[in-house]
Amino acid sequence: IGLGGAFHGALSRARAATAGAFALTCVLEAACFAAAYAAGDRVAVLAMALRTTGAFGFSGLVAGWTFVAGVVVFPGAFVSGVQFPLLIALLGKGRRGVGEQTARAYAANTVGAILGSIGGGFGLLPALSAPGCWRLITALLALLGVAAALLDPRASITRLRRFTPVGIALAAGLLLLTRGPTAAWRHSPIGAGRVDAATLRSPAALHDWSN
């Protein structure tokens, strides 16, 4: 997230914040989450393979899990880091009212984080399961991006730039139609870790285990 914010800081010197840019961050974030979802049990297999880095001690385990997190978490987190200062920039222009606008963005983010934690942990996760929540959040991000793109008030915006987020959102939606993660995630090292990776060295063994 910090790297994404730094990237936005460097980029914003040359470009002003627009609703179209916000739309693009929404659909790109959705596409990142959808791609990780479509990777499905391959990520669980990757986590099992990287458990062997534990032979190099704690630093090896850290390196292995950093790689897994880099595949699943980092892309979407980076885009969200670009998105947050962009939201603050959309609340105003110039040097006046920066403190108030930043506080409003942080307050909304804090309230959303609290409600998301409570509603997600006690409501959505039991009702929809983790993969269901994964699909829901990705779909909501894609829809938000499409709405922002279509409602962009700039009259000069080209049709291509207006509908590029729509195309990315559709691609994310298609990725969500794949099987996605199964119970293999919960039994792999990502979850409970109740599997002996040493017995799954062949493609056939991995296929049988996934089934």
Side-chain angles (χ1 to χ4, degrees), residues 1-13 15 78-79 81-83 85:
I1 293 174
L3 288 173
F7 178 79
H8 175 269
L11 195 66
S12 63
R13 297 171 186 172
R15 297 183 179 182
F78 181 88
V79 177
V82 176
Q83 188 181 74

Side-chain angles (χ1 to χ4, degrees), residues 41 46 60 117 192:
D41 292 340
L46 172 66
S117 299

Side-chain angles (χ1 to χ4, degrees), residues 18-25 148-149 152 154 157 161 165:
T18 64
F22 171 71
L24 191 60
T25 61
D152 192 333
R154 292 178 298 163
I157 187 172
R161 292 182 64 183

